[in-house]
Amino acid sequence: MSDSHDHHHDHGNGHDHPHGHGHDDTHILRRKEDVGYLHDTVGRTEHEMDYFQIRVVALLNVLREKGLVTTDEMRRAIEDIEAQTPAIGAKVVARAWADPEFKKRLLMDAKEACAELGIDTSAVNHLVALENTGQVHYMVTCTLCSCYPRVLLGQPPTWYKSFPYRSKSVVDPRGALRDLGYEAPEGIELITVDSNADCRYLIIPRRPKGTEGWSEERLAMLVTRDSMIGVGDALTPQEFEARPIPV
Amino acid sequence: MEQTRFQVGQRVRVKNLYPPGHIRTCPYVRGKTGVVSRYFGRYKNPELLAYGKDGLPARELYWVEFSVNDLWDHKPGKPQDKLRIEIYEHWLEPA
């Protein structure tokens, strides 16, 4: 943040523009570092931001000016958030596939079982693992907001937070799955789980056929984020081999 | 075993109330009848926590299961399809 110091004389105090304010909210973003923050987080210039994005940056400016939070602390917090990825959940699922005793413990007390793998779930009050089988298929939603097992899956995908998914997942669960490209088998018991209070849910997808004897590391590569939300199955070895590699 | 107000397997109705404020009981289950499928423990009441209060007394939290077709007039599910949702004790009554 050293490059910001020599610019303080002409930014941020609000006194060098005694008039002409009040018509253009985008002037809330006065400093070079604000623009940098935006590019890092939302990737937009101030002219492309909507009302709430501008409000967030304005609030951040006030907190910084009062010395309550620094840009560096913000950056670290963002890094911590981004360090949480579905790979953590995939590791848990792969262990459950490989070790039936671990799966029992995971289904009994998911927080304890995660602790065995060194995963810190203290941010969650109650963690519940649910197993998809040939008879039962669980899918998770949060109709009130965006409750999601972030400690295991990272940030929720945009569709999970969207109004169409949040409403249709309870009003027409099979239709919501179809919208996401998943056809729930006709005879399966589909259980929609609305995550509305103190619990977070991890779905253990069915272990794909043809993976007997695979190592946990290899199994984990088949566990997709969506399969742990219950809106899809894990990849088959064939699907894994055939998937396009993102550049 | 901890004494709880409701038991797993018991039929319960969600109270059909619409108080103002921060409420976690989703409107689409209010007034509906389901079955207690799990007891999660006691948690501070989010209806109070939301306003900076201590959230006490802690409330029993239950997982209540409904038939999807009992929730909506258009009956969108297969007969076996269910919905499970977390409901605090003070929103439940025996059915």
Side-chain angles (χ1 to χ4, degrees):
Chain A
M1 301 305 116
S2 58
D3 65 333
S4 64
H5 294 308
D6 35 349
H7 295 284
H8 266 300
H9 59 276
D10 57 1
H11 292 293
N13 61 19
H15 295 302
D16 35 5
H17 309 290
H19 46 195
H21 269 6
H23 297 297
D24 188 351
D25 285 335
T26 59
H27 281 198
I28 282 164
L29 312 174
R30 297 179 294 249
R31 296 175 298 204
K32 216 172 153 186
E33 66 213 51
D34 296 335
V35 177
Y37 166 73
L38 284 172
H39 274 295
D40 285 351
T41 54
V42 294
R44 292 178 191 177
T45 68
E46 60 179 274
H47 301 291
E48 294 170 320
M49 290 199 309
D50 68 20
Y51 172 80
F52 285 102
Q53 290 167 330
I54 291 170
R55 200 159 87 162
V56 165
V57 175
L59 179 63
L60 184 58
N61 281 347
V62 172
L63 292 172
R64 263 197 311 235
E65 280 165 18
K66 288 183 178 294
L68 294 171
V69 65
T70 66
T71 306
D72 192 46
E73 285 169 338
M74 277 298 296
R75 182 185 56 74
R76 286 187 207 188
I78 291 167
E79 281 175 354
D80 286 345
I81 289 168
E82 290 181 345
Q84 295 178 331
T85 77
I88 303 169
K91 195 173 134 183
V92 177
V93 170
R95 171 67 62 90
W97 283 348
D99 180 349
E101 289 303 314
F102 176 81
K103 185 166 82 180
K104 272 187 208 163
R105 295 197 294 279
L106 181 64
L107 291 169
M108 193 75 85
D109 186 340
K111 278 173 76 91
E112 278 294 314
C114 286
E116 286 180 39
L117 302 185
I119 298 166
D120 178 10
T121 61
S122 55
V124 179
N125 268 342
H126 202 100
L127 188 64
V128 177
L130 301 165
E131 186 183 16
N132 281 348
T133 67
Q135 288 77 45
V136 181
H137 186 99
Y138 293 96
M139 66 183 283
V140 184
T141 187
C142 172
T143 58
L144 290 179
C145 47
S146 55
C147 294
Y148 191 75
R150 286 171 169 77
V151 292
L152 297 177
L153 302 187
Q155 297 305 296
T158 304
W159 58 258
Y160 184 86
K161 298 181 280 186
S162 72
F163 283 119
Y165 179 73
R166 285 161 54 192
S167 49
K168 195 164 180 177
S169 56
V170 294
V171 173
D172 177 14
R174 285 176 185 260
L177 286 177
R178 208 170 292 126
D179 289 350
L180 289 161
Y182 185 75
E183 191 69 41
E186 180 90 8
I188 210 157
E189 180 179 1
L190 178 63
I191 303 182
T192 306
V193 178
D194 191 347
S195 185
N196 63 317
D198 284 280
C199 302
R200 299 294 176 268
Y201 302 92
L202 172 73
I203 306 302
I204 307 170
R206 297 169 70 184
R207 179 174 177 163
K209 291 192 174 70
T211 58
E212 293 75 19
W214 281 33
S215 68
E216 283 177 36
E217 290 72 21
R218 218 170 146 210
L219 287 170
M221 294 193 292
L222 304 178
V223 186
T224 62
R225 176 197 65 195
D226 288 4
S227 71
M228 293 184 281
I229 306 173
V231 298
D233 287 325
L235 297 175
T236 64
Q238 294 75 21
E239 284 168 337
F240 180 75
E241 290 304 326
R243 81 204 189 288
I245 310 287
V247 177
Chain B
M1 281 300 275
E2 184 185 346
Q3 284 286 0
T4 56
R5 195 191 292 197
F6 300 99
Q7 313 307 320
V8 171
Q10 186 176 352
R11 286 182 68 76
V12 287
R13 190 181 305 107
V14 182
K15 292 178 185 171
N16 198 12
L17 302 174
Y18 289 83
H22 176 89
I23 305 291
R24 296 288 182 88
T25 306
C26 298
Y28 69 88
V29 297
R30 295 186 202 172
K32 306 292 183 185
T33 298
V35 176
V36 173
S37 63
R38 207 183 278 199
Y39 169 62
F40 285 125
R42 288 169 197 273
Y43 294 95
K44 288 181 178 177
N45 186 351
E47 295 168 12
L48 301 173
L49 291 176
Y51 298 98
K53 297 178 181 168
D54 61 9
L56 299 174
R59 300 292 195 171
E60 294 173 1
L61 184 65
Y62 293 92
W63 217 15
V64 181
E65 181 179 275
F66 301 87
S67 169
V68 165
N69 288 345
D70 285 346
L71 295 175
W72 310 100
D73 291 341
H74 66 284
K75 303 201 183 306
K78 303 286 176 197
Q80 71 273 21
D81 291 350
K82 308 288 194 321
L83 178 123
R84 288 189 199 166
I85 189 165
E86 299 153 47
I87 308 287
Y88 294 93
E89 59 177 307
H90 57 290
W91 275 91
L92 294 174
E93 56 195 11

